[in-house]
Amino acid sequence: MSTLVEIRNLLVRRAGRPVLEIDHLNIEKRQVLALVGPNGAGKSTLLLVLARLIKPERGDILFIGQPATGLRDRDYRRRIGLVMQDPLLLDMSVYDNIAIGLRFRHVPGPESARRVEAWAERLGIQHLKTRKAANLSGGEAQRVALARAFVLQPELLLLDEPFGALDKKTRTELLRDLKALLPTTGATTLFSTHDDREVNALADSKIELADGKIHTESSV
Amino acid sequence: MLFNNPDVWEVTLLSIKVSGLATLISLLIGLPFGTLLALSKFPGRSVLLTLINTGMALPPVVVGLAVAMTLWRSGPLGGLHLIYTPAAIIIAQVIIAAPVVTGLTAAALQALDPRLRLQLLGLGASRLQMVLSIWREARLPLLAALMAGFGSVISEVGASMMVGGNIRHQTRVLTTAIVLETNKGEFTSAIALGILLLLITFLINFALTWIQQRGAKR
Ligand SMILES: Nc1ncnc2c1ncn2[C@@H]1O[C@H](COP(=O)(O)OP(=O)(O)O)[C@@H](O)[C@H]1O
Ligand SMILES: [Mg+2]
């Protein structure tokens, strides 16, 4: 296996306080890595650092062996997909929400439409395409947020508690669907969670974070 | 009979033109500046926001005084010969409306979830694409900011009188004409002009309320 992302000697401060310290972490291509740990452990921070939305105080992040500085932030981000803790949909139709990252990348209309259709279908939201995002249930909104990331065909997929805000039934259904879909994306995936069921269903390895440090690293 | 006086329509049209142009210029200043204030962190930002909010409450007569002194024949910009022209009114109205548009733009964007910006960048947006997306997201409050800017100048009388001079066929706008007609005891004309001004401000407030209610429904 080859390495997609390598983190070395990382230190992140937020509001002056060190919140993440990782000496070394390798993420292999096509790995599905679960981040677990209590609230405040630094899971979201790690994902945002990997999305280059938080600047670390020190440390190197190598992407396919190249230092982070070799790629502009925007060009790097156009190779990843990010789903944050809340769906954060825009006030437009479901279709336009799913397509927004493709529009940012200037993907031509027919290709964009093909990908949106395909992922809306796979995530079971094709009947919602013309609906306003504001009128969706929590589970539907989360599926739109996932579709919006999947259509980008990212090399690195970052999911922050993708099941966090859902009720039990919705969570179970989405977990089942994601278990089937995640391997088809070909993306290397990092997701944070509190739930061992999600770790066992989706991940091939897991990292336990505590107080901003890697506590254990193990395969699932 | 009230409205068959051609002067009434001339005055109304000039009011809309002058205040409309002043609002447009205020938008060109206030939208980027308000966005910068809302999105970036720099030292002095909160002081600047406070200043802008103070600017939103600038008394028009004080603005009129400052602009009149600047444009006065012997003043620093007297050589431009702008005093008692529509351009002078526009300058004064921009000074009144630009803080309104800037402040309300900043407020509209600060009301959005700050994580939305991170999410948009995380989806590969360039800086410009991110800003355009959040403008679109805040389009209703931004439209409200624009109309509040127009509302602040269309019914303003002090500055227009002081720097425009209320010259017939040249700088006479609705508000200054109403003052003049009332002073002359010409209540019929004053009432006609007043009704037109009321109609314009009523339309603005109607639209503002409608926008706010649409916003609240979401
Ligand atoms: N915007 C922020 N400003 C300052 N500190 C923050 C911010 N966000 C998170 N933190 C702090 O960083 C630490 C890690 O938070 P986070 O990465 O959100 O943890 P997790 O996602 O594991 O719950 C916590 O102590 C939290 O208080
Ligand atoms: Mg978190």
Side-chain angles (χ1 to χ4, degrees):
Chain A
M1 268 214 205
S2 58
T3 302
L4 183 76
V5 180
E6 188 178 346
I7 296 176
R8 284 190 208 146
N9 201 20
L10 180 78
L11 172 66
V12 183
R13 276 180 202 278
R14 297 187 89 168
R17 225 161 40 82
V19 296
L20 193 63
E21 274 187 86
I22 296 180
D23 293 336
H24 194 252
L25 175 65
N26 256 3
I27 303 165
E28 306 296 335
K29 268 188 192 151
R30 306 204 60 149
Q31 191 177 3
V32 179
L33 180 61
L35 291 174
V36 297
N39 274 332
K43 303 183 296 296
S44 298
T45 304
L46 177 55
L47 292 170
L48 290 175
V49 166
L50 285 171
R52 286 209 201 161
L53 291 166
I54 296 180
K55 294 269 168 282
E57 176 159 305
R58 64 165 159 77
D60 297 312
I61 297 175
L62 304 184
F63 187 65
I64 324 187
Q66 293 176 350
T69 43
L71 268 176
R72 290 172 59 193
D73 285 348
R74 193 194 69 192
D75 297 331
Y76 169 79
R77 292 193 197 116
R78 288 185 178 177
R79 299 171 69 165
I80 69 163
L82 172 68
V83 178
M84 291 176 62
Q85 231 163 303
D86 286 304
L88 294 169
L89 300 180
L90 291 140
D91 180 25
M92 44 174 82
S93 73
V94 164
Y95 184 100
D96 289 340
N97 266 286
I98 300 176
I100 194 164
L102 296 168
R103 238 179 313 123
F104 291 153
R105 287 160 177 74
H106 306 290
V107 172
E111 167 67 10
S112 168
R114 196 186 59 71
R115 292 201 214 169
V116 172
E117 296 292 339
W119 278 104
E121 165 108 44
R122 280 172 218 164
L123 281 159
I125 48 175
Q126 69 274 53
H127 60 293
L128 302 174
K129 277 182 311 198
T130 56
R131 280 258 285 275
K132 282 237 160 213
N135 306 329
L136 299 178
S137 71
E140 290 166 343
Q142 192 59 24
R143 281 169 187 264
V144 175
L146 287 167
R148 180 171 70 174
F150 286 150
V151 293
L152 303 173
Q153 302 176 348
E155 289 164 74
L156 178 63
L157 188 58
L158 305 169
L159 311 175
D160 200 355
E161 300 192 26
F163 311 92
L166 308 178
D167 62 57
K168 195 155 183 190
K169 177 166 171 290
T170 319
R171 179 186 281 235
T172 306
E173 288 167 1
L174 186 56
L175 184 58
R176 187 198 56 213
D177 289 355
L178 216 53
K179 186 177 156 77
L181 289 174
L182 212 46
T184 71
T185 64
T188 306
T189 306
L190 256 84
F191 72 98
S192 64
T193 178
H194 291 286
D195 187 345
D196 276 341
R197 278 194 315 155
E198 293 164 19
V199 178
N200 294 327
L202 301 177
D204 45 48
S205 38
K206 83 171 172 182
I207 288 178
E208 270 189 71
L209 282 176
D211 280 334
K213 298 201 173 70
I214 295 182
H215 194 254
T216 58
E217 208 176 335
S218 55
S219 50
V220 175
Chain B
M1 343 134 265
L2 277 181
F3 299 108
N4 56 12
N5 180 352
D7 275 11
V8 168
W9 296 106
E10 184 190 296
V11 161
T12 307
L13 209 63
L14 184 67
S15 276
I16 292 173
K17 268 194 210 159
V18 162
S19 295
L21 202 58
T23 308
L24 203 68
I25 296 169
S26 300
L27 179 71
L28 295 178
I29 298 168
L31 189 60
F33 197 47
T35 304
L36 202 73
L37 281 172
L39 302 196
S40 55
K41 285 192 188 129
F42 53 88
R45 173 173 164 269
S46 62
V47 176
L48 214 56
L49 266 172
T50 310
L51 274 176
I52 299 286
N53 288 330
T54 314
M56 286 167 73
L58 273 183
V61 270
V62 176
V63 174
L65 173 64
V67 174
M69 281 168 56
T70 310
L71 298 182
W72 205 256
R73 268 181 295 280
S74 52
L77 296 180
L80 297 175
H81 303 291
L82 288 177
I83 191 80
Y84 302 145
T85 65
I89 306 181
I90 292 172
I91 291 170
Q93 292 195 346
V94 167
I95 294 172
I96 294 166
V100 175
V101 178
T102 307
L104 294 179
T105 294
L109 299 182
Q110 283 175 323
L112 296 174
D113 190 328
R115 295 172 307 167
L116 187 59
R117 276 140 58 191
L118 295 182
Q119 177 68 76
L120 288 164
L121 293 172
L123 287 164
S126 65
R127 290 251 137 211
L128 180 65
Q129 286 171 331
M130 184 271 284
V131 168
L132 292 176
S133 298
I134 64 167
W135 280 352
R136 187 188 181 284
E137 195 65 10
R139 58 197 179 277
L140 291 182
L142 288 180
L143 191 60
L146 187 66
M147 290 198 300
F150 185 72
S152 73
V153 288
I154 188 77
S155 53
E156 171 284 319
V157 57
S160 300
M161 187 69 93
M162 292 158 84
V163 305
N166 193 27
I167 303 167
R168 193 174 177 205
H169 301 313
Q170 288 178 36
T171 58
R172 183 164 299 168
V173 292
L174 276 171
T175 50
T176 58
I178 292 171
V179 172
L180 179 78
E181 298 301 326
T182 305
N183 285 346
K184 288 196 302 191
E186 298 278 357
F187 293 116
T188 318
S189 316
I191 288 170
L193 294 159
I195 288 173
L196 284 167
L197 183 58
L198 263 177
L199 202 67
I200 294 171
T201 51
F202 171 79
L203 280 175
I204 294 170
N205 283 318
F206 180 81
L208 271 174
T209 310
W210 182 77
I211 286 173
Q212 273 154 7
Q213 293 197 333
R214 263 195 59 172
K217 255 200 320 209
R218 286 194 285 142

